[in-house]
Amino acid sequence: MEHRILKRYPIGNPRRLWFQDNFVLSTFAAHGDSMRDALENCADAGFNMVELGWASHEHAQEALRICEELNLPLLYQDFSVFGGMQERNLERHIAPSVARKLADEIRPWKCVVGYYVWDEPYVEDQLAETRYQMDLFQKEDPARLPFTVAIPSYNSKYTWENGEFPAYLRRYAEIIDPPQLSLDFYPIGLRWYTDEKQLDDSLMWCDLGLMRQIGREYQMPLWFYYQGMNLYKYKRFEFPMVRMLMYAAAMYGVKGLQQFTAVGSVINGDGSRGQFFEEQKEIHGEFRRLGNTLMALENRYVFHSADLLADYPYYDDFRDDIADSAVLCGELAARVSVGEFEDAYGNIYLLVLNRDFDGAKTVELKFKENVRLYSVS
């Protein structure tokens, strides 16, 4: 490997105006009884962006003032004025004058990086309204991100089991044409989850594989909402689960990691530091050190051990063959996955993931020929 500084270029959908210039570490709906404590603790935990999903007018205005003071990037939403969540607020078809007035109000605030337009639009009228509002905000405030996130495959309408999810995510990309492709998936404690199987049979891997495929086709950087809290009140939820989910998404080449949610994990409901504050701060330090490298790399392959989705045909279209690797060969040990990346100079990078929550392991990789190995940090 040649020791060169990797050049950093803004990345984004070439059909949109907003481009991304740093690796995003974000959290959804940052708030607390004390908004100041909540936002200060999110900043101290290493989030480099906070989001105002579903925010009331009062929360939105308070967050603006505090984030400006903290120099903390903010993805803005005032749910009383614009934006929606699935079918919520669909009847509110905002006029261009509303978007223009809001953009004029927001423009002086340096902390605002974008507008949180819609959360999980999934049927045709929601997709169309999301595209309409995103285009309005792009026209009125082209320097800022018009943001939306797709719904995961465990929704009630488009699933892997009924064969409808791939067509949905493709329609989402084509109709909305977002600057970046964001998807959420919160697997720990879902109805089919067990401690014994962990994520061996999780359809999250299908969603990630499809997202990567569509992102490549439409030239959209990938962001991913990972589960940061015990959303389903499962009997066990520990930080190694969060850590694995973050690195799993990074293995698929995402350029943004969005936590759902800091409240209940990194911060408590009153805004004070929560049970995972120190662990989240530590892993954010790891990603800050890796961020410039991850932004400069192109994901080529993701290889999994044979125990992942072994009997699930849904994943067949996304199962990369290790024989195609530039450097690896053989089989991976149980619950081991590897992402293979390439930089602009042709150097190969490997992200090795232990998918087992319950302990560290030593992983042996077989190479096609002798190689020099360097660690990246």
Side-chain angles (χ1 to χ4, degrees):
M1 176 181 287
E2 298 185 47
H3 292 270
R4 302 183 184 183
I5 300 297
L6 294 178
K7 294 181 180 179
R8 229 173 78 181
Y9 301 99
I11 59 174
N13 178 343
R15 298 167 301 281
R16 287 288 185 179
L17 299 180
W18 181 88
F19 275 60
Q20 178 180 352
D21 59 7
N22 68 293
F23 194 92
V24 168
L25 299 167
S26 182
T27 183
F28 180 84
H31 62 84
D33 295 339
S34 168
M35 183 67 88
R36 176 168 294 278
D37 287 349
L39 292 172
E40 287 182 349
N41 283 320
C42 282
D44 289 345
F47 291 107
N48 62 17
M49 186 174 82
V50 293
E51 306 169 16
L52 287 184
W54 314 337
S56 68
H57 179 73
E58 292 75 17
H59 274 152
Q61 293 302 302
E62 187 176 8
L64 270 177
R65 294 189 294 271
I66 297 171
C67 286
E68 190 81 354
E69 177 186 329
L70 298 176
N71 196 28
L72 179 61
L74 176 66
L75 189 56
Y76 181 80
Q77 187 180 76
D78 179 343
F79 217 44
S80 70
V81 176
F82 76 100
M85 190 272 183
Q86 297 180 16
E87 69 280 356
R88 289 178 61 186
N89 293 343
L90 188 61
E91 74 288 349
R92 184 177 64 193
H93 185 70
I94 67 171
S97 59
V98 173
R100 187 175 308 117
K101 180 176 183 292
L102 180 62
D104 288 343
E105 293 172 355
I106 291 298
R107 195 168 287 111
W109 297 93
K110 295 179 181 179
C111 65
V112 177
V113 297
Y115 301 89
Y116 200 119
V117 176
W118 215 274
D119 184 8
E120 299 184 339
Y122 68 104
V123 296
E124 301 304 318
D125 51 359
Q126 297 168 22
L127 298 176
E129 179 64 20
T130 302
R131 174 61 186 260
Y132 167 76
Q133 292 196 25
M134 291 179 73
D135 287 350
L136 281 182
F137 286 114
Q138 178 174 273
K139 178 182 178 182
E140 299 300 335
D141 201 351
R144 291 187 167 110
L145 166 68
F147 176 81
T148 182
V149 56
I151 200 168
S153 63
Y154 52 91
N155 68 87
S156 61
K157 188 174 180 65
Y158 307 119
T159 68
W160 290 101
E161 290 87 349
N162 68 17
E164 296 290 337
F165 186 69
Y168 155 72
L169 196 58
R170 192 169 298 278
R171 282 199 312 279
Y172 173 96
E174 290 176 349
I175 294 173
I176 297 176
D177 201 21
Q180 39 60 249
L181 181 59
S182 181
L183 181 67
D184 58 53
F185 202 109
Y186 313 129
I188 310 297
L190 278 176
R191 59 187 179 278
W192 55 77
Y193 178 83
T194 67
D195 287 335
E196 179 184 6
K197 296 291 290 185
Q198 296 192 14
L199 297 183
D200 294 343
D201 294 340
S202 175
L203 295 179
M204 179 187 77
W205 307 107
C206 297
D207 284 30
L208 284 168
L210 179 64
M211 179 178 71
R212 182 182 63 153
Q213 183 184 85
I214 292 176
R216 284 174 175 170
E217 289 180 25
Y218 294 92
Q219 299 175 273
M220 297 171 182
L222 307 179
W223 292 9
F224 185 71
Y225 277 102
Y226 63 93
Q227 184 178 351
M229 60 177 293
N230 193 359
L231 183 61
Y232 312 107
K233 310 302 180 186
Y234 190 66
K235 60 185 178 182
R236 173 191 177 205
F237 191 83
E238 299 164 354
F239 195 79
M241 298 172 174
V242 179
R243 182 181 184 85
M244 198 281 279
L245 292 171
M246 293 178 72
Y247 274 103
M251 182 177 65
Y252 276 84
V254 305
K255 309 302 185 185
L257 289 168
Q258 299 171 274
Q259 186 195 62
F260 190 91
T261 176
V263 180
S265 58
V266 180
I267 58 175
N268 298 314
D270 61 0
S272 62
R273 295 182 176 186
Q275 61 173 330
F276 292 156
F277 176 87
E278 294 297 338
E279 291 92 337
Q280 193 76 42
K281 183 174 183 176
E282 180 180 356
I283 198 169
H284 277 162
E286 295 173 19
F287 274 101
R288 282 199 304 275
R289 292 188 292 273
L290 290 171
N292 286 347
T293 300
L294 292 172
M295 285 288 290
L297 300 184
E298 179 181 353
N299 179 262
R300 301 181 69 215
Y301 303 108
V302 175
F303 307 117
H304 295 292
S305 53
D307 52 350
L308 186 139
L309 293 174
D311 300 316
Y312 286 75
Y314 318 124
Y315 194 68
D316 289 348
D317 289 341
F318 317 114
R319 198 180 300 276
D320 293 335
D321 188 343
I322 202 168
D324 295 326
S325 169
V327 294
L328 295 176
C329 61
E331 296 184 358
L332 298 176
R335 287 188 177 157
V336 171
S337 298
V338 179
E340 183 172 314
F341 300 79
E342 186 173 7
D343 68 20
Y345 305 109
N347 297 310
I348 301 299
Y349 298 69
L350 302 176
L351 193 162
V352 183
L353 177 68
N354 171 18
R355 302 195 315 270
D356 193 334
F357 306 144
D358 290 327
K361 65 172 64 176
T362 299
V363 176
E364 294 185 2
L365 300 177
K366 186 176 181 181
F367 291 88
K368 293 179 176 179
E369 56 187 33
N370 292 334
V371 297
R372 290 184 177 181
L373 293 177
Y374 301 86
S375 62
V376 178
S377 61

